[in-house]
Amino acid sequence: MNQNLQKLFSVAQKNEKLGIGLMSGTSLDGLDIALCRFTGNGLKTQFSLVKFITIPYREDFKKDVQSIFARRDADLEKVCLLNALIGSFHGELVLQALKEWDIQPAEVDFIASHGQTIYHAPKRLHQKPGYPNATLQIGDGDHLAIKTGILTISDFRQKHIAAGGEGAPLALYGDVLLGSKVGENRILLNIGGIANLTFLSADGDADKILCTDIGPGNTMIDAACRRYFNLPYDEDSKIAFSGKVNDALLNTLLAGLFFKEQAPKTTGPELFNLSYLDEAQRQSGTEGLSAEDIICTLSAFTAKSISDFILQHFKADDIRIFTSGGGARNIYIINYLKKALPNADIKDTGALGIDPDAKEAILFALLGNESLCGEPLKIGTNPEVLMGKFSFAV
């Protein structure tokens, strides 16, 4: 038998696996690296987070990725070059983390890498007849595997799309496996670049599960901070608290067609970006708004789109909400949600024993474990598939 297939078979049969999940989000803060220990699979999965680190990206690397991110006119040569570079670079960061943790690469059974999304194009967004849902993550798995010497699983979203999904949000699988509790209605709310949630019914009925994008998370706030203040984000919501919500602009932002579409649905910075803001300001006649008021209004936009969705779809007085992602630390957004949903119990996923910063990296480690030894899971209306492509180290 081919030695790579023998290795794959051997790893898949292990009772306990040590896997690394990698997540690089649209905010481009850095690479989240979660080292997890797994036993079992599917609904019987048991896991522990062994180590976690976020390694910040250099500014030159961020600018390189931003030059092609969510751009229809992206330079194809740059896309090609970055596909290889990101895979190798992420491998270097994994080795850096392992060295810091005093763990040898040979001790790790697999890496599960999300890659770097550069474009997300569901049919509802591109509206081109004859073309399917599509998404593109770069950071080639072969480069990662060769750099680290570790079996790598990557490109998870393509199978989801090929089987009829939109390639997102994939949080559903991890949320169901790690966050369900009979007797409690739960929402696992991730506020990353885009905000998404998974609703888990107290009666355990899989048909009631809903996983969907809601709207912008941090993406428009961060972009406006870069434009107006040359800052990567609004630290401690200081700018938001120094401004005032402009109702005319807020209502125009919330009037977008995306918010009228039926869930489940997906979106991305291809829609929610500074052009969306500029057009909303033009329509609402608020072009002269101060930068502080813009940041404040965008923060309210994120929070209100979340609270409105929850109020429209669930009984907010009988629900526990667990937050994760960078937005879980956004004081303005969380305060807004607590006021808008006064009867909901809102905490971050730390209350579940899941580091809110590590949650998405853990998710991909979990998906990697399923790729190795799981069976396709039927959850709600999502495709019943196993995801990920394998790259061997030799």
Side-chain angles (χ1 to χ4, degrees):
M1 181 187 289
N2 178 290
Q3 63 173 327
N4 284 327
L5 296 181
Q6 285 182 322
K7 172 75 179 293
L8 182 62
F9 187 69
S10 174
V11 171
Q13 285 191 310
K14 293 178 71 171
N15 291 327
E16 184 177 278
K17 301 176 188 67
L18 195 61
I20 289 175
L22 303 181
M23 181 64 197
S24 180
T26 56
S27 62
L28 291 172
D29 296 329
L31 183 65
D32 295 337
I33 306 175
L35 180 68
C36 302
R37 197 177 305 279
F38 292 99
T39 58
N41 61 79
L43 297 177
K44 296 181 180 179
T45 300
Q46 298 292 319
F47 95 100
S48 60
L49 179 62
V50 180
K51 297 284 186 180
F52 174 72
I53 190 172
T54 298
I55 301 181
Y57 288 145
R58 304 184 311 267
E59 283 304 314
D60 61 328
F61 177 79
K62 286 185 186 180
K63 289 178 180 177
D64 248 3
V65 177
Q66 286 167 348
S67 72
I68 61 168
F69 177 67
R71 295 178 63 100
R72 292 186 179 185
D73 60 349
D75 181 334
L76 282 179
E77 181 182 59
K78 179 63 75 69
V79 172
C80 183
L81 294 173
L82 281 173
N83 183 46
L85 184 145
I86 290 173
S88 183
F89 179 48
H90 282 182
E92 291 174 8
L93 297 184
V94 167
L95 293 176
Q96 178 182 326
L98 290 175
K99 184 177 181 180
E100 184 175 322
W101 297 334
D102 195 25
I103 294 172
Q104 296 300 313
E107 298 177 57
V108 180
D109 293 305
F110 68 90
I111 294 170
S113 173
H114 170 263
Q116 181 64 57
T117 296
I118 61 167
Y119 208 87
H120 184 63
K123 287 189 282 188
R124 70 178 73 244
L125 183 60
H126 68 65
Q127 296 184 344
K128 290 181 169 59
Y131 286 88
N133 293 319
T135 190
L136 183 60
Q137 288 72 43
I138 60 174
D140 186 76
D142 285 340
H143 288 266
L144 221 168
I146 292 294
K147 177 65 70 173
T148 60
I150 301 170
L151 172 69
T152 297
I153 311 164
S154 63
D155 213 15
F156 289 87
R157 298 186 186 273
Q158 296 303 328
K159 178 68 75 66
H160 193 272
I161 284 178
E166 292 191 4
L170 298 188
L172 169 68
Y173 296 91
D175 289 348
V176 170
L177 295 178
L178 304 177
S180 300
K181 183 178 181 181
V182 174
E184 280 188 5
N185 289 315
R186 290 181 167 185
I187 286 176
L188 275 70
L189 171 64
N190 184 68
I191 311 173
I194 296 298
N196 61 71
L197 65 73
T198 301
F199 171 74
L200 304 169
S201 177
D203 61 11
D205 186 348
D207 290 335
K208 294 179 182 176
I209 293 171
L210 175 65
C211 186
T212 183
D213 285 348
I214 306 167
N218 306 310
T219 187
M220 291 181 68
I221 303 168
D222 292 351
C225 284
R226 290 192 295 270
R227 172 191 273 185
Y228 296 111
F229 297 96
N230 197 29
L231 293 171
Y233 62 95
D234 183 11
E235 185 176 4
D236 297 328
S237 303
K238 291 175 184 175
I239 303 172
F241 283 123
S242 71
K244 295 180 180 179
V245 173
N246 183 282
D247 289 332
L249 176 57
L250 177 60
N251 291 334
T252 305
L253 290 166
L254 288 164
L257 291 177
F258 175 81
F259 299 105
K260 298 177 176 64
E261 293 174 349
Q262 186 174 351
K265 54 190 175 181
T266 65
T267 190
E270 296 77 14
L271 174 61
F272 292 112
N273 50 39
L274 291 179
S275 294
Y276 187 93
L277 169 64
D278 293 341
E279 178 60 20
Q281 286 191 264
R282 187 191 66 78
Q283 290 183 19
S284 59
T286 56
E287 293 98 328
L289 211 58
S290 73
E292 289 80 6
D293 287 356
I294 289 172
I295 299 297
C296 184
T297 304
L298 288 175
S299 301
F301 175 37
T302 288
K304 185 168 173 55
S305 62
I306 293 170
S307 60
D308 283 356
F309 185 91
I310 291 173
L311 289 169
Q312 289 165 11
H313 290 82
F314 313 110
K315 293 181 179 179
D317 58 349
D318 182 30
I319 206 158
R320 298 191 71 191
I321 299 173
F322 299 94
T323 62
S324 61
R329 298 190 306 276
N330 186 302
I331 302 169
Y332 186 99
I333 291 174
I334 298 302
N335 285 353
Y336 190 110
L337 291 176
K338 288 180 177 179
K339 290 178 182 177
L341 306 168
N343 297 319
D345 180 21
I346 302 176
K347 294 182 173 67
D348 67 41
T349 55
L352 300 175
I354 302 171
D355 185 326
D357 292 326
K359 179 174 174 280
E360 288 197 291
I362 292 170
L363 162 68
F364 280 93
L366 175 69
L367 290 177
N369 185 63
E370 289 299 301
S371 298
L372 281 164
C373 61
E375 296 291 338
L377 282 175
K378 178 61 177 173
I379 303 175
T381 59
N382 267 263
E384 190 174 351
V385 292
L386 289 173
M387 294 171 282
K389 298 171 183 173
F390 290 87
S391 294
F392 300 105
V394 293

